[in-house]
Structures are given as C-alpha cells and as structure tokens.
C-alpha cells in the first residue's frame, strides 16, 4: 500500500472511531451538553484536557517553530506548560467548588452584575474565535498535504467534521472523543520522534537523544548544531536572538493566557470533586509534558538533518538520491522552494550573518515550467540577499517521517495525529462559543424562561454559525498557525486571568473594578496587536514596540493594566455586598463554610 | 466549623501557594530566562544547563509542583476536616 492509501485508511478509521464515540455519548440535558454531567474521572479528564488544549499549533507547527528559533522557541515550551501550575494552584479547585457551567457564569455571579457577565461573554467569544481559526488552518494543511486536496477544500471538510462533533456530542461527547484523540495524537507524535532519535542520536528516548552524541560520532548534537548555525550565518541554536525582555513577557503572556483560556478552564467543571479538579490538572500536564519535552528534541533533530542534507548540495543530486526524495515531494506541495540566484546549481541556505534572510518576498507562488535543474520556478520578487531556500516551518513535523525514511503507515499516522489535535481543540472551542451564546447570552440575559430542550437546540444552532466564521478565518489566516494562537493567549491573559484570580483571592474586589479591569486589559492588548498586525504591519519591529515587547508578549502588559485598573477602581467604589464576600469564602474550602453552617 | 480554624486553613494554603510559585518562577523565569547565560557555562551531557532548563527541566519541575501541591492539599483538607466525602 502507498502513503495515500494508508492515509485514507488510518484517517478514515480514526474518524469512524470519533464519530462512534460521539454518537454513543451524545448529550440530552444542558448539564451534559455544557459540562458532561460533571461526572468525568480525573485521569480521563486530564487526557481530554491535554487533547483539548494541544492544538494543531502544538502538533504541527511548534516543533517547526522551535527548530527555526532555537533557544527562543522556549517561550512556547515553558509558556504552554507553566500555565497549568497556575491553573492547578490558583484556579481549578475554586472554580470547581463554584460549580456552574461557564467562566462568564463565575464572573457574572461573583461580580453580581450582568454587565460583567456580558463583558466576559464577549471576551470568551473573541478569544475562542481567534484560536479556532488557527485550528481550521491546521486541518486544511494536513488535508492538503496528505490527502492531496487544496487547503481551502481541506478546511471545508474539517468544518463539516467539527460541526458534527460539537453539535451532536456537546461536552460529554467531546470529552470521550478527546480521550481517544489524545491517544491517537500522542502515538502519532512519539513514533516518528522515537525513530528519528534512533536514526540521529542512537537512543529511542528523544529527551535523552537531544543531549546525546550524534550516531556518526562527530560530537554532541547541540554543539554540532551550534557550529553549523554559525557557519551558515544563523545565531547559535542554543542562544537565540530575541531580546530577553521579550522572551520574558511572551512566556508570561502564554502561561497566564493558558490559565485564562475559557475552553481550558471549563474542563475543570466536568470532574465530580474539588480534589479531582486539582489532580486532573496534574494529569493534564503529565500528558502534555510528554509531547512538550519531545518537541524540542524533534526540533533539534529535524534542524540538524535539514541543514546537513541541503547545505551546499546540488539540486539534481538531491532530487536523484532516493534518500532525499522528500525534498522533491515537499517542493511539490509548496512548503519548500528553491531559486538558483547565483546559477551554480547548488542550494545556498544562509542566515542573516552571511548575507542571508528570506529567499524571496512572501510565500512562494509557482510559475509554469521548471528551471535548469528541474526545480519548480517561482514568480515571487527576489530579495537581494544570497539565501536561495524557502522552508515553511510546518514542514518539520509533517516531513520528519519521510526524512527519516520511515514506512508509509507512519506518515499516515502523522496525518491522523495532526487531525486529532486540530479537531479536538476546535470542538472544545466551538463548545465554549455555543455555550456562551446559548447559556450566558440568551438564557441568562435575554430569555431566562428558556426550557432545557430549547437551550440545547440554540447551543447547537450557534455552533453552526461559529463553524462558518471560523472557517472563513481559516481560509484567510492572519499569520502562521502558532502565531495566530499566540494572540488568543494574550487576549485571555489580559481579560480573564486577573478577574478570576481577584474574584477568588481578593474578597473586596467589586463589579466596577472587574469590569473596568477587563475592558482596559483587553482593549489595550487588542489595540496593540491590531495596530502592529493589521493597521501598520510595516512598523512591526523592535524599534517601534513598547519597551521592546512584541505583540505576542503584550498580553502580559495588558494583564498588569487589568490588575492595576481593577485595584484602583475597586478602592474608590463601594465594597461588594456581604453575601458575595460569603460566596468567596465558600469557594475557598472544598467542603465549604456555607455548607457547614447550613447543617 | 468556626471561622478561626478556616482562616488558619486558608493561610496555610496561601503559604503553600507562595512556596510553590516561588519554585515555579525560579526554574522557568530564573534558570530558563534571566540566568540562562551564566548557567550555559555549565554543561551536563550534551546540554548547556540554562538551555536545558528552558526546554526540558522547567517542564519536569512544573509536573512535580502540581503533584506536590495535590498531596499537600489533600492532607490539609483532612486535617481541617474540609475534605469532600
């Protein structure tokens, strides 16, 4: 069987499995639809959380980004794991004790205000949409590469499948599907990682191979990589090139953002007890860490292998060698492109210090015909530096199995894993959006008399709209998959995290403070990002940034603004009513002061 | 339960949180970011230490922190009789 057939088979089987689970566990009541009846065992919830949260960006793009960023890639590794410590320690147990369906529910009740609830709903919807667009793009990328359909068609197929999930299953269906999706995605990630670790470093454990000597005996992998980097004019792999302040702020924004993402928080409403909420955050991080400690190893292996393969090689030699056929394959998909600037027939891959940089402007657009060496011709405007090679970052994970010469079923497995990662996250996000609309907006604000059946129906209808909008952004994406997702984190960091923390740890925080804080935080962050990404992208460089903080890291500043504004406003406005302060007390004890005094 | 006891439970909880979050900050922002350069002078195996903390070590510590917190809190809940069931 060839790769194509294997891919159809494995992807088909996994889809059948997910759909089977979704049908078996479809939701009837609102409690089942929104929080899976609060009956999910902590271990399963940890797994579902991991799948919910590890997105197409984690699976497809992250290792690629790290591969190109070297040390700077640590922002994603620490940023997307460290938030779970905050979740477990500062949020999950208390929100579980609170025992409602959504984050806006908490904000609305804790701040005794429908205005606060509305602001929270808008933030939740905004954050979730930003995030879900990246997932749709990821689905499109996987489909286009492995099933050979155009990216946009891939997105449409993905939309259809996600729609099916989220509409039918609600949280209950999604949770158990996500458990299966976690197993698929981690297996699909680990198998090629183990093989490539054996191939390059001679040990089956990628985390160790990362720090090992190369199997050809030419020294430690990371030392070799640093050497190659300096030879080709890149900054050392283990040093990175971002300013320290930016690394600090981006990492913080990602951590706090993780802890403020509504689709992550809501997962802790689905376990039976406060104790379960704590431990399931721990399990979630174990399952996440498995992929996250493997990713940087894969990044280093792939980077080394890529440089070693293409450096100063003749294009024809690469194209003819059966071991490097992947180069041609990926050129075919447009994720690689080569333009022979100095017409020597060899590939020059150079970094900034050797007069390198982007080989040409923008993403490759291919012209008719082939060049002198048989390469695909591009019609982009060339840049005046010496680098000739364009490499899309997403290629690192997608092409790894081929680069390591693995059998076709492994390549098919990666396709299934990428889809599992994208679909599980998309479904979780769409659920948050539909819950926000049906429960927080329509039930709580517009029509409190809504019966359960109608509420579930409305939730299902709003999923439909959400999928369409998400699909639109997937087809017209604002940046790399991982970067789009990074913005959602900034927005979550600057809106939810502070209000929830203060709602639990600062009894005197009142509604005026919370609303003013959320609004100022998210408006500042969104304005900064929109200015640099959409209004004036030409100015998006360190000279124009506030204190040298990039749009990716600005959520940290937004969060600080949120905290500061809330405090000041809370000091000059009336304290919250007595019963709210008692509510806060009851959140703090698993068994609860409120319950105890009622006996 | 009386208020004083609960207050005590809460302040013990806050003490745990503070301690764990200090470790959280030190391994990631301290070792992984602010002090990477000096730590990179030390190497173990094929890793420079600062780089290892940024891409491996901090993640392992995060996992340990949560499990430590869980066991501390489960004990504390029992001691103050605020545990469920």
């Amino acid at each position: 069987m060839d790769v194509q057939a294997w891919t159809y088979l494995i992807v088909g089987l996994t889809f059948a499995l997910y759909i089977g689970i979704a049908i078996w566990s479809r939701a009837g009541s609102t409690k089942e639809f929104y929080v899976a009846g609060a009956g999910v065992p902590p271990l399963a919830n940890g797994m579902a959380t991991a799948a919910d949260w590890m997105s197409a960006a984690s699976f497809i793009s992250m290792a690629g980004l790290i591969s190109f960023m070297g040390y700077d890639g640590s922002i994603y590794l620490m940023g997307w794991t460290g938030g779970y410590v905050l979740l477990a320690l500062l949020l999950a147990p208390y929100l579980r004790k609170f025992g409602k369906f959504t984050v806006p529910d908490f904000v609305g009740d804790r701040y005794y205000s429908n205005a606060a609830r509305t602001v929270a709903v808008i933030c939740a919807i905004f954050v979730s949409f930003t995030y879900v667009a990246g997932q749709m793009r990821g689905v499109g990328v996987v489909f286009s590469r492995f099933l050979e359909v155009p990216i946009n068609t891939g997105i449409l197929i993905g939309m259809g499948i996600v729609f099916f999930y989220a509409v039918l299953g609600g949280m209950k269906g999604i949770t158990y599907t996500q458990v299966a999706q976690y197993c698929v995605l981690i297996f699909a990630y680990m198998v090629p990682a183990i093989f490539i670790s054996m191939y390059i470093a001679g040990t089956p454990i990628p985390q160790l191979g990362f720090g090992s000597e190369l199997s050809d005996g030419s020294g430690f992998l990371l030392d070799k990589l640093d050497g190659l980097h300096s030879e080709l004019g890149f900054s050392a792999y283990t040093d990175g090139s971002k300013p320290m302040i930016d690394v600090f702020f981006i990492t913080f924004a990602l951590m706090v953002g993780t802890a403020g993402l509504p689709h992550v928080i809501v997962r802790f409403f689905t376990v039976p007890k406060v104790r379960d909420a704590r431990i399931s955050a721990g399990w979630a991080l174990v399952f996440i860490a498995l992929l996250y400690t493997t990713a940087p190893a894969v990044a280093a292996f792939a980077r080394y292998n890529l440089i070693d393969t293409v450096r100063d090689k003749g294009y024809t030699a690469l194209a003819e060698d059966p071991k490097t056929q992947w180069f041609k394959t990926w050129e075919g998909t447009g994720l690689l492109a080569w333009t022979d600037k100095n017409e020597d027939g060899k590939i020059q891959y150079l970094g900034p210090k050797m007069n390198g940089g982007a080989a040409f402007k923008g993403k490759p657009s291919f012209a008719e015909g082939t060049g002198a060496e048989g390469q695909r011709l591009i019609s982009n405007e060339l840049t005046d530096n010496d680098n000739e090679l364009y490499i899309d970052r997403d290629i690192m994970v997608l092409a790894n199995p081929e680069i390591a010469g693995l059998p076709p079923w492994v390549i098919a497995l990666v396709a299934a894993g990428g889809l599992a990662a994208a679909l599980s996250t998309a479904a979780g996000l769409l659920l948050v959006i539909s819950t926000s609309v049906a429960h927080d907006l329509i039930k709580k604000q517009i029509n409190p008399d809504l019966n359960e059946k109608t509420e579930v129906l409305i939730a299902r209808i709003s999923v439909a709209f959400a999928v369409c909008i998400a699909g639109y952004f997937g087809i017209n994406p604002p940046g790399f998959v991982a970067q789009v997702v990074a913005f959602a984190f900034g927005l979550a960091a600057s809106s939810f995290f502070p209000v929830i923390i203060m709602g639990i740890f600062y009894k005197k925080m009142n509604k005026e403070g919370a609303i003013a804080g959320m609004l100022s935080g998210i408006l500042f962050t969104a304005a900064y990002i929109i200015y640099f990404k959409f209004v004036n992208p030409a100015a998006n460089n360190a000279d124009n940034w506030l204190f040298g903080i990039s749009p990716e890291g600005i959520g940290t500043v937004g969060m600080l603004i949120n905290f500061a504004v809330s405090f000041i406003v809370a000091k000059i406005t009336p304290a919250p009513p007595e019963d709210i302060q008692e509510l806060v007390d009851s959140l703090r004890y698993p068994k609860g002061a409120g319950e105890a005094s009622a006996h | 339960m009386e208020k004083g006891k609960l207050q005590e439970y809460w302040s013990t909880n806050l003490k745990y949180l503070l301690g764990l979050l200090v470790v959280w900050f030190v391994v990631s922002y301290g070792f992984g970011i602010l002090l990477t350069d000096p730590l990179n002078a030390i190497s173990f195996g094929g890793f420079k230490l600062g780089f290892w903390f940024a891409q491996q070590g901090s993640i392992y510590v995060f996992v340990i922190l949560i499990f430590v917190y869980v066991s501390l809190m489960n004990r504390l809940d029992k001691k103050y009789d605020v545990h469920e069931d």
Side-chain angles (χ1 to χ4, degrees), chain A residues 70-71 74 78 81-82 88 94 207 211 220 226 238 252 255 273-275 278 282 293 296 588-591, chain B residues 6 9-10 13 17 24 29 32 46-48 54-56 58 60 62 66 69 73-74 77 81-85:
Chain A
Y71 166 78
S74 317
M78 290 192 286
T81 52
Y94 311 108
Q207 286 83 346
F220 286 114
D226 280 348
T238 53
F252 209 91
M255 280 197 194
K273 294 190 179 115
V274 172
R275 200 176 52 192
R278 291 182 196 134
T293 52
R588 295 178 175 182
Y589 314 110
K591 201 194 248 166
Chain B
L6 286 179
Y9 167 84
W10 184 244
N13 177 21
L17 291 183
W24 168 81
Y29 296 93
F47 289 112
K48 293 175 179 168
Q55 300 214 334
Q56 296 276 302
S58 57
Y60 299 134
F62 294 155
I66 298 184
Y69 170 71
M73 287 311 283
N74 284 347
D77 287 353
D81 195 30
V82 292
H83 60 285
E84 303 136 295
D85 62 51

Side-chain angles (χ1 to χ4, degrees), chain A residues 125-138 162 422 425-430 433 466-467 469-471 473-474 484-485 488:
Chain A
I125 293 176
F126 192 56
V127 166
S128 302
F129 266 124
T130 317
Y131 204 137
V132 86
Q135 306 315 310
M136 287 302 173
R137 188 78 193 161
V162 166
T425 308
L429 289 161
L430 290 167
I433 295 170
V467 172
I469 300 171
F473 283 119
V484 179
V485 170

Side-chain angles (χ1 to χ4, degrees), chain A residues 269-503:
Chain A
F269 293 102
T270 65
V271 293
K273 294 190 179 115
V274 172
R275 200 176 52 192
D276 301 331
R278 291 182 196 134
I279 192 81
S280 79
W283 287 124
L285 189 57
V286 168
F287 295 128
I288 291 162
L290 192 55
L291 190 147
Y292 269 62
T293 52
T294 306
V298 168
F301 296 144
R303 180 79 184 158
Y304 170 73
N305 198 38
L306 182 92
I307 295 181
D308 202 46
T309 308
V310 301
R311 179 174 59 121
D312 272 330
K313 295 270 167 54
Y315 179 88
T316 3
L318 272 187
E320 277 163 8
D321 186 347
K323 273 188 164 167
T324 49
Q325 274 303 310
W326 56 269
F327 192 90
K328 282 269 320 159
T329 318
W330 289 90
E331 190 190 13
T333 64
L335 293 180
L336 277 177
W338 175 62
T339 170
D340 197 7
K341 285 182 183 168
N342 59 0
E343 297 178 347
D344 66 350
K346 283 186 180 171
I347 296 167
Q348 267 85 36
Y349 179 52
L350 298 168
K353 287 174 200 159
M354 297 289 281
N355 193 27
F360 43 77
K361 294 194 174 139
K363 298 211 163 206
S365 60
F366 292 96
E368 288 295 315
T370 50
E373 310 290 327
Q375 80 271 30
R376 292 182 77 184
L377 289 174
I378 49 142
S379 57
N380 302 57
E381 189 187 335
L382 295 183
T383 47
D384 55 7
N385 63 49
D386 293 338
N387 180 34
E388 299 179 341
L389 189 63
Y390 166 88
I391 308 165
D392 191 288
R393 287 146 210 247
D394 291 346
I395 204 175
M396 290 300 184
V397 166
L398 298 178
N400 245 344
E402 280 169 273
I403 295 176
L406 299 181
W409 64 267
V410 179
I411 300 167
L413 199 59
V414 172
L419 288 170
L423 292 174
S424 57
T425 308
L429 289 161
L430 290 167
L431 191 83
V432 166
I433 295 170
S434 76
T435 311
S436 299
V437 173
H439 182 75
D440 299 321
L441 224 56
I442 295 178
K443 166 88 172 175
K444 290 282 177 164
Q445 314 232 22
I446 297 170
N447 183 5
D449 301 328
L450 213 60
N451 68 37
E452 266 209 31
K453 244 179 136 177
T454 326
E455 194 184 332
V456 173
L457 182 68
I458 293 173
R460 289 183 164 142
I461 293 170
S462 48
V463 172
F465 285 100
V467 172
C468 296
I469 300 171
Y472 171 82
F473 283 119
I475 291 168
N476 305 291
F480 286 116
V481 174
Q483 280 176 348
V484 179
V485 170
F487 290 132
F489 283 86
L491 300 177
S494 62
S495 57
F496 288 121
F497 184 76
V499 278
I500 301 174
I501 289 290
M502 289 184 295

